[in-house]
Amino acid sequence: MRIDSSVLLEKLFNSIPATLNIIRDPLAQSLLGFVSDNKYPSHSLKYLVKYAYINKVLNLLVIRSPSIFKGTELAERLVNQRIKFLKHLHALVDVLERINIEYVVFKTYRPVPETPVDIDICVYGLEDALQIVKALKTKFKVEICNVDRFSIGIRISDLGEYIDIYVYPHVANFIYLNNRVLLDNKQYIDVNEFNLEFQIPIPSFTAEALAVISHAIIKEGVMTLNDVLTTVTYMQTNLEDILALAKRESLELAVGPFLKKLESGRFPARFTVLERFLAIAQRSMKRESFISIPYFLRGVVKKREALLEASRKVTYVRGLNR
């Protein structure tokens, strides 16, 4: 299956009325009304820009909104960052398509045209991950930044780009999603932005939605407006499939609190320790997650300071500098 990126953006804007009917956050309502219907916001633009930044929708506000931001330093900076990211993504995919590896780019190219701080890739096995690193080293200067039980983190220094290659999506070596969910039903996005055209493999919209939800509650403990818009966009046509997949993957206690938080307050919205614990406990019923628990416990001890710091954050945006 192949989908043009313009169709993905259209799906996003078509889902905004449904999002506005669900959410209660006045700032989110103001921002989305401004972006979709040119309704001048009731809040100051400076405050709205800050809100958009911590919710990972700054590009959506500045680049895709009315011409009030046209020609500003911020708009120029965001456009340049987006172009730079797309060129790097194209260069990466160009290398990976030349080797015989099944992979998907996940949580990275979303309906919301935000520029991520890194690129996430999922593969079937460790040998595939190592082969990707080897292939990238033939074209770029590659630094190994982090090696976990189920992933390898690298930096392509001549691009200044960080890439996480996952065998299984995880947090501190706890597997929160089966790689087959992402890989077995992949589709292709025909990227067409800023006169750049290329193709990338991504998971099905159902799998991508579940990846965004489980990542938000289990790994980050925070749900941004970007997560909301991405999920609601996919839920417009895939809600029953998403709920069925969540049940099959023992992630109902991740999806439930996520959906409840849509109506419960302002974004970014934090998940409670209990909500995260229950989601992890239910997910542990799956074999691959259960066997990862000893590695997770060791990882928690090893990275306890970093995890404690992460538990206090209000968002997981990581800055404008790429």
Side-chain angles (χ1 to χ4, degrees):
M1 182 177 178
R2 291 176 59 174
I3 298 173
D4 191 271
S5 59
S6 62
V7 174
L8 197 60
L9 189 63
E10 183 181 355
K11 284 178 176 288
L12 167 67
F13 279 98
N14 288 342
S15 73
I16 286 178
T19 304
L20 286 170
N21 284 334
I22 299 170
I23 63 175
R24 299 292 177 264
D25 184 346
L27 278 168
Q29 292 171 338
S30 182
L31 185 150
L32 294 178
F34 183 41
V35 167
S36 61
D37 294 327
N38 200 16
K39 293 179 181 177
Y40 202 82
S42 54
H43 301 82
S44 74
L45 282 178
K46 184 177 180 180
Y47 194 56
L48 210 57
V49 165
K50 180 180 178 181
Y51 175 82
Y53 168 68
I54 65 172
N55 272 287
K56 303 179 72 175
V57 292
L58 189 56
N59 276 22
L60 182 65
L61 173 64
V62 175
I63 299 176
R64 303 290 182 178
S65 62
S67 60
I68 191 168
F69 291 102
K70 189 175 181 180
T72 63
E73 182 181 348
L74 177 60
E76 183 179 352
R77 183 177 183 182
L78 291 174
V79 167
N80 289 337
Q81 285 183 343
R82 183 69 175 176
I83 293 172
K84 181 180 177 182
F85 158 70
L86 291 171
K87 287 181 176 179
H88 293 174
L89 182 59
H90 186 191
L92 170 66
V93 170
D94 187 58
V95 172
L96 300 191
E97 288 298 313
R98 298 174 189 272
I99 58 178
N100 188 28
I101 292 292
E102 288 290 331
Y103 74 98
V104 289
V105 178
F106 74 109
K107 296 192 300 85
T108 300
Y109 194 89
R110 301 187 180 196
V112 181
E114 197 66 15
T115 301
V117 72
D118 55 16
I119 296 170
D120 289 334
I121 293 172
C122 186
V123 295
Y124 279 118
L126 179 59
E127 287 300 317
D128 294 337
L130 294 173
Q131 193 170 336
I132 285 176
V133 174
K134 182 178 179 181
L136 290 173
K137 282 184 175 181
T138 64
K139 188 169 183 179
F140 305 110
K141 294 178 181 178
V142 176
E143 304 169 8
I144 305 296
C145 300
N146 187 54
V147 178
D148 284 312
R149 182 78 182 183
F150 305 110
S151 66
I152 301 173
I154 64 173
R155 179 178 183 269
I156 300 179
S157 57
D158 35 354
L159 299 181
E161 199 71 56
Y162 289 89
I163 301 166
D164 289 325
I165 308 168
Y166 290 92
V167 176
Y168 289 101
H170 69 91
V171 53
N173 289 319
F174 176 78
I175 297 171
Y176 63 82
L177 192 62
N178 194 311
N179 58 5
R180 290 190 172 277
V181 169
L182 302 175
L183 288 156
D184 284 356
N185 296 291
K186 74 177 181 180
Q187 59 187 343
Y188 285 87
I189 290 287
D190 290 323
V191 177
N192 187 359
E193 293 186 47
F194 301 106
N195 296 317
L196 295 169
E197 296 183 18
F198 58 99
Q199 189 180 91
I200 59 171
I202 68 168
S204 69
F205 291 155
T206 299
E208 183 80 334
L210 196 58
V212 169
I213 292 170
S214 54
H215 171 265
I217 184 169
I218 294 178
K219 185 168 185 178
E220 300 292 352
V222 176
M223 180 173 83
T224 66
L225 184 56
N226 185 312
D227 297 326
V228 172
L229 289 169
T230 297
T231 305
V232 174
T233 297
Y234 293 148
M235 283 183 170
Q236 289 301 291
T237 53
N238 300 81
L239 177 57
E240 293 302 319
D241 291 338
I242 292 168
L243 295 177
L245 182 61
K247 183 175 183 179
R248 192 162 66 245
E249 291 300 313
S250 297
L251 283 167
E252 293 162 290
L253 293 182
V255 173
F258 187 97
L259 296 180
K260 188 176 180 181
K261 282 259 188 306
L262 293 178
E263 305 177 14
S264 64
R266 294 196 172 187
F267 305 115
R270 291 182 58 85
F271 295 99
T272 67
V273 172
L274 179 59
E275 286 170 331
R276 298 180 72 188
F277 173 79
L278 291 176
I280 290 172
Q282 184 190 39
R283 176 61 198 172
S284 298
M285 296 169 63
K286 302 300 290 186
R287 182 179 181 276
E288 66 275 5
S289 295
F290 180 77
I291 64 175
S292 73
I293 290 175
Y295 309 115
F296 171 61
L297 294 175
R298 284 200 290 267
V300 167
V301 172
K302 184 179 179 181
K303 300 180 179 180
R304 59 187 179 277
E305 292 300 325
L307 290 169
L308 283 171
E309 180 65 27
S311 71
R312 291 189 286 266
K313 66 191 174 186
V314 296
T315 183
Y316 61 93
V317 65
R318 294 176 177 86
L320 283 173
N321 296 318
R322 296 190 88 253

